[in-house]
Structures are given as structure tokens and as C-alpha cells.
């Protein structure tokens, strides 16, 4: 059986560089590798609603933003199905059955959900839907019988939970579901890109993001004001590269060709780092280099976005087609699931025959 990808994002804002290196860039590579039989990329609007129930308009607006981001990064709708989660109601049904296979105590242990609850300051008022979203995510993944989930490391607990549900389901009802694996970025700077302020994570609520759709002027402004080493005051001072996010970004984005093109006095990032640590290399020079690297990467993405923005109807067509394909696939899995759980009452002619014989014989 061929390999299948399922992955996705919540449409709560435009996508940023953290999404790009954490998953998007890899998705495009995987898509073009030819190694996957089917690829599903989901805009998780129902999951976004679990903590935005009072603001469906925001979710609605961002569905198109995320779709534009996907397309402009090189997700090719002839190779990957982009779809909207809530347009595949089979996912909700599947989650409803999975809820019986997971305990409240198990949900409580999920580290990603735990930290999100703190970040959102839910206190005791956690929406049930939010609390249970790892179960819904398990149904997203398994409904497509996905083998592979390319995602950032914050999604690891979700895939782990999914695997547990698969085991439990298959051991009770028979071998129907496929066990997925997460595919993390190999470069450690890419697993969790810090914000431009040096905080642990690039996040819209912290206001420390560089968006894929930022203009060249915005990009320059953000890079030039990035957090570096606060003790590196004069150029001659030795600088620290640990926790210095300009260098973390260079770890994530730069390669030797960039040096040849934009900063030929150095042949590699290691050389640049060594000079910074010795002293004698100013932040501005490093930031200008980072800007050049990012600008070269983002310019074609920006251009493609502009083209798609001129054809929003076309983008909706792409989403509609993606939803149709996704729905057919999920429906097939649901048929298998209902049969395994013996809740396919109208299809089970043997059950109907046995029962009618029994009642006739009474
Ligand atoms: N939780 C993901 C996010 O925060 C979105 C998502 C929903 C997802 N379902 C998924 C990711 C299934 C991977 C697989 O963006």
C-alpha cells in the first residue's frame, strides 16, 4: 500500500516563517518527491473554532489567507488535495466514536494542550471542544489512513495520541486503522523557530512573527530590529550566538551558496559564527545578510501570492475540488469503521436475515 500524507494548519492567522521551516517547506519537497500516493492538506477550521467560537468571521477570513499561503509556497493542487476540515463531516463522526476510547486522565496529560491552556488563560473555563481536540486530530489523520504527518514538534503529542487510539481501535474492532508517523524537520533550528524577539516560539499573539506575505520593507524592518546578544554592544566585543535569534534564523535558512552570493568574505555559517564570537563583527552586517537570504526566498512566494489574489474564485474552486476528494476518501474509511464496529445496520444483510429468522421462529 502506498504512503499517504495528512497534515494541516489552523486558520487563525496568516502563515509565518515558523510554519514555513517547521512544515510547509518540507511538504512541498515531499509533494514533489513522488514518494507519496496521496497527499491531503487540511485547513483545520473546526479545530480553530475550538478556541474561537465567538469569532467565526476571523476563521472564515483566514481560510483564504492560509490557502493563498499554501499555493504561493508551491503546494500544487494537481498533486496535493487542499481541503477544509468542516466540509468533511465524516471527521466529526469518527471523533465521536474515538471519544469512547480515550480517558479524561489521558487528555489531561497532553503537554501541548496543557501549555495552550496556560497561554490562553482558560483557567477552569476550558471549552470541552478545545480539551478534546487531540481526539478530533486523531480522526483527521486516520480518516485518510495517513502513514505520514509532516509537522513541527509541538504536534508530536497529537500523533502519539493518534497511535494509541489506532491500537485501541484495532485491538477491539479488528485491523482497520493505519498507524501514522510524524515527520519532523531534520534541522533542529527548524523544529521550533523562535520569534524575532528571541522568545521560544513565533506566534501571532506574541507579535513576533515574520509573515510569508510581509512586504520587502516590512521584512527589512523586522530583521533589522531582531533580538541578538544584549551584551554585544561594540563591534569589537565578543558576541554570543546561543539564544541569538539572527543566528538561529541563519541556521534555519542559509546555505553556502548564500555566502557566495551575498557575503563572499565568509565561506560558511561556521566561519561567520566564529568571527562573531571572537569579536569584530557587528550585528548590522549579520542582519543585512539574513535579510538578503530571506528576501531571496520570500520574493517569489510574494509574487505567486499576488497572482492567486487576482483569482480568488479560482482558489475556492481548488478548495472545493480538494474537499470532494477528501470527503470520498474519509467516507470509505467510515464504511470500514462502521462495518468493524458492527454499526452498519442497513448494510449488514446477514444480521437482518438472522434476526428475521429468529423472530419468525418465535
Ligand atoms: N493542530 C494543528 C495546528 O495547530 C492543525 C491540525 C489539525 C493538524 N489536524 C491536524 C496537523 C492533523 C496535523 C495533522 O496547526
Amino acid at each position: 500500500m502506498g504512503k499517504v500524507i495528512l497534515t494541516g494548519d489552523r486558520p487563525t492567522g496568516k502563515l509565518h516563517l515558523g510554519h514555513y521551516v517547521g512544515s510547509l517547506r518540507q511538504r512541498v519537497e515531499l509533494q514533489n518527491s513522488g514518494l507519496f500516493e496521496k497527499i491531503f492538506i487540511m485547513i483545520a477550521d473546526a479545530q480553530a473554532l475550538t478556541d474561537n467560537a465567538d469569532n467565526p468571521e476571523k476563521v472564515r477570513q483566514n481560510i483564504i489567507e492560509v490557502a493563498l499561503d499554501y499555493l504561493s509556497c508551491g503546494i500544487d493542487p494537481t498533486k496535493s488535495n487542499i481541503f477544509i476540515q468542516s466540509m468533511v463531516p465524516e471527521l466529526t463522526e469518527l471523533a465521536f466514536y474515538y471519544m469512547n476510547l480515550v480517558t479524561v486522565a489521558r487528555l489531561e496529560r497532553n503537554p501541548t494542550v496543557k501549555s495552550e491552556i496556560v497561554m490562553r488563560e482558560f483557567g477552569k473555563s476550558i471549552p470541552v471542544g478545545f480539551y478534546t481536540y487531540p481526539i478530533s486530530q486523531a480522526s483527521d489523520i486516520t480518516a485518510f489512513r495517513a502513514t505520514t504527518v509532516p509537522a513541527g514538534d509541538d504536534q508530536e503529542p497529537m500523533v502519539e495520541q493518534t497511535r494509541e487510539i489506532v491500537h485501541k481501535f484495532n485491538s477491539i474492532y479488528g485491523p482497520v486503522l493505519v498507524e501514522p508517523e510524524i515527520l519532523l524537520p531534520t534541522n533542529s533550528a527548524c523544529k521550533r523557530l523562535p520569534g524575532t524577539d528571541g522568545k521560544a516560539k513565533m506566534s501571532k499573539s506574541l507579535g513576533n512573527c515574520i509573515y510569508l506575505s510581509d512586504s520587502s520593507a516590512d521584512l527589512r524592518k523586522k530583521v533589522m530590529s531582531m533580538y541578538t546578544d544584549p551584551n554585544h554592544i561594540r563591534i569589537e566585543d565578543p558576541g554570543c550566538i546561543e539564544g541569538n535569534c539572527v543566528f538561529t534564523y541563519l541556521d534555519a535558512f542559509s546555505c553556502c551558496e548564500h555566502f557566495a552570493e551575498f557575503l563572499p568574505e565568509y565561506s560558511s555559517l561556521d566561519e561567520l559564527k566564529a568571527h562573531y564570537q571572537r569579536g569584530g563583527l557587528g550585528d548590522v552586517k549579520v542582519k543585512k545578510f539574513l535579510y538578503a537570504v530571506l528576501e531571496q526566498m520570500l520574493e517569489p512566494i510574494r509574487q505567486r501570492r499576488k497572482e492567486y489574489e487576482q483569482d480568488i474564485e479560482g482558489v475556492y474552486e481548488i478548495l472545493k475540488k480538494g474537499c470532494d476528494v477528501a470527503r470520498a476518501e474519509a467516507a470509505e474509511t467510515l464504511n470500514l469503521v462502521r462495518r468493524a464496529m458492527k454499526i452498519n445496520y442497513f448494510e449488514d444483510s446477514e444480521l437482518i436475515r438472522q434476526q428475521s429468522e429468529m423472530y419468525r421462529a418465535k
Side-chain angles (χ1 to χ4, degrees), residues 58-227:
K58 167 176 142 189
V59 174
R60 186 191 173 92
Q61 298 278 341
N62 281 307
I63 288 175
I64 197 76
E65 291 289 347
V66 170
L68 287 167
D69 283 330
Y70 285 165
L71 294 166
S72 52
C73 281
I75 299 291
D76 173 352
T78 66
K79 295 180 182 156
S80 302
N81 290 290
I82 307 174
F83 72 99
I84 304 171
Q85 188 182 26
S86 69
M87 294 289 100
V88 183
E90 283 78 5
L91 299 175
T92 322
E93 182 183 344
L94 195 54
F96 200 66
Y97 303 140
Y98 289 171
M99 284 192 185
N100 307 321
L101 308 179
V102 179
T103 64
V104 173
R106 176 64 182 86
L107 282 179
E108 258 166 17
R109 282 201 305 274
N110 187 308
T112 302
V113 177
K114 258 193 199 163
S115 72
E116 286 175 331
I117 286 170
V118 174
M119 237 167 68
R120 286 166 178 69
E121 297 176 345
F122 279 142
K124 288 255 171 268
S125 313
I126 309 165
V128 172
F130 184 83
Y131 200 61
T132 56
Y133 90 72
I135 301 178
S136 135
Q137 195 156 334
S139 81
D140 300 336
I141 295 168
T142 52
F144 300 94
R145 282 160 280 164
T147 53
T148 313
V149 181
D153 68 353
D154 59 331
Q155 298 303 306
E156 227 165 355
M158 308 303 158
V159 177
E160 194 47 48
Q161 174 83 79
T162 304
R163 292 158 63 89
E164 282 175 34
I165 291 174
V166 167
H167 282 159
K168 188 103 194 235
F169 186 100
N170 286 351
S171 72
I172 300 174
Y173 304 116
V176 170
L177 301 177
V178 175
E179 200 179 306
E181 265 173 22
I182 192 164
L183 193 62
L184 296 167
T186 45
N187 175 332
S188 73
C190 297
K191 284 191 185 142
R192 192 169 300 185
L193 194 74
T196 52
D197 56 358
K199 297 234 171 73
K201 198 178 167 183
M202 193 171 266
S203 132
K204 194 164 93 81
S205 50
L206 297 172
N208 60 6
C209 301
I210 294 175
Y211 293 100
L212 295 171
S213 51
D214 275 349
S215 69
S216 172
D218 284 342
L219 175 66
R220 181 185 287 273
K221 228 184 292 160
K222 289 182 184 180
V223 171
M224 295 317 283
S225 58
M226 262 170 89
Y227 178 87

Side-chain angles (χ1 to χ4, degrees), residues 268-286:
S268 70
L269 185 53
D270 285 341
E271 262 183 40
L272 188 76
K273 283 180 177 171
H275 192 182
Y276 192 82
Q277 286 170 309
R278 268 200 313 277
L281 174 59
D283 283 353
V284 171
K285 187 161 182 178
V286 187

Side-chain angles (χ1 to χ4, degrees), residues 229 231-232 234-242 244 247 265-282 285-286:
D229 169 9
N231 299 317
H232 185 238
R234 289 167 308 164
I235 291 183
E236 315 83 81
D237 294 339
C240 183
I241 56 165
E242 285 81 34
N244 181 331
F247 282 97
E265 322 81 290
Y266 303 90
S267 64
S268 70
L269 185 53
D270 285 341
E271 262 183 40
L272 188 76
K273 283 180 177 171
H275 192 182
Y276 192 82
Q277 286 170 309
R278 268 200 313 277
L281 174 59
K285 187 161 182 178
V286 187

Side-chain angles (χ1 to χ4, degrees), residues 321-354:
K321 278 201 191 115
C323 289
D324 291 343
V325 175
R327 190 153 189 206
E329 186 74 19
E332 231 173 87
T333 305
L334 259 295
N335 281 338
L336 297 174
V337 162
R338 286 193 212 101
R339 192 180 310 152
M341 292 177 72
K342 304 200 181 302
I343 56 173
N344 59 335
Y345 308 111
F346 300 135
E347 266 97 70
D348 193 343
S349 48
E350 181 57 16
L351 171 96
I352 297 170
R353 197 189 57 77
Q354 279 175 11

